Amino acid sequence: MTIEYATRYRRASHIPADPGTPYFIEKGEGDRAHLFGDLITIYAGGEQTENTFNFFTVEGPKGDLIPAHLHTDTHEVFYVTQGAVRLFVEDTTGHQQEKLLTPGDFGFVPKNCRHAYRMERHHSQVVGVAAGPAGTFERFFENLGAPTERHGLPAKPVVPEPHAFATVPERYDVRFHADHQWHTP
């Protein structure tokens, strides 16, 4: 059994808003949001970790490339637990690479490196951790996407209006590069 708390983000959450409070969350019972065709579940964020890291999962169907973006102050980890995810990365010198990650594979994206990913198999899942001096960006998902109480993928993809992408950089350290071209094979 988990306890529900009211937070400034939601009327009910299993994540306590105050740092220093131990807690447990049953599988899938974190704060959930739909963005694109994916379900994002947040288990720990800035409020719980004094803005030092976050911990979340992204589950999705085989689909489109998530838009290229970077975090100027945040390092990001991709750890695949189900399916297959193709990670695209461009380092600060412009060198691009891509790698198909399958269960147990790990990808690290340092701050200031453009990156994107694509679920290559249905029912793929990535565990994400982000950390850096600017804090954490986990509330980006529900602010650009749509908070949900539902488990499972969205019935219809949640695609933000183009102008919405410009609203998130300063607040969440996510800078989109919609016209970025990947030249990897």
Side-chain angles (χ1 to χ4, degrees):
M1 181 171 124
T2 57
I3 298 172
E4 288 194 85
Y5 304 87
T7 71
R8 66 181 184 183
Y9 301 105
R10 301 174 170 273
R11 62 178 173 75
S13 174
H14 295 286
I15 303 172
D18 300 321
T21 302
Y23 64 97
F24 304 92
I25 297 179
E26 294 174 6
K27 181 180 178 182
E29 291 299 322
D31 292 350
R32 295 178 296 279
H34 289 146
L35 182 57
F36 306 114
D38 299 338
L39 170 68
I40 296 92
T41 305
I42 299 164
Y43 293 93
E47 289 181 321
Q48 296 73 46
T49 67
E50 299 175 340
N51 278 330
T52 57
F53 74 94
N54 63 23
F55 184 95
F56 59 93
T57 60
V58 179
E59 299 175 56
K62 182 176 180 178
D64 296 329
L65 186 69
I66 299 303
H69 61 282
L70 64 79
H71 313 286
T72 58
D73 290 313
T74 308
H75 306 281
E76 190 170 5
V77 165
F78 292 77
Y79 182 79
V80 175
T81 58
Q82 296 179 89
V85 177
R86 187 169 305 276
L87 182 59
F88 299 82
V89 181
E90 181 179 287
D91 67 22
T92 57
T93 68
H95 175 72
Q96 293 184 359
Q97 54 187 319
E98 71 172 75
K99 176 73 175 167
L100 180 66
L101 303 174
T102 58
D105 290 344
F106 173 91
F108 175 71
V109 179
K111 67 182 182 177
N112 287 313
C113 291
R114 285 189 184 102
H115 58 285
Y117 67 90
R118 180 177 60 225
M119 303 293 193
E120 295 287 352
R121 294 187 191 139
H122 291 299
H123 308 291
S124 292
Q125 183 182 55
V126 176
V127 171
V129 175
T136 62
F137 60 74
E138 72 282 347
R139 296 299 170 189
F140 152 81
F141 298 114
E142 62 195 9
N143 282 283
L144 190 62
T148 184
E149 298 299 318
R150 291 185 47 233
H151 290 91
L153 303 178
K156 185 174 128 185
V158 176
V159 181
E161 293 294 324
H163 73 280
F165 289 95
T167 66
V168 298
E170 293 307 315
R171 193 164 172 203
Y172 300 108
D173 191 28
V174 181
R175 286 154 178 78
F176 285 97
H177 299 264
D179 296 330
H180 187 69
Q181 298 294 310
W182 296 102
H183 303 290
T184 56

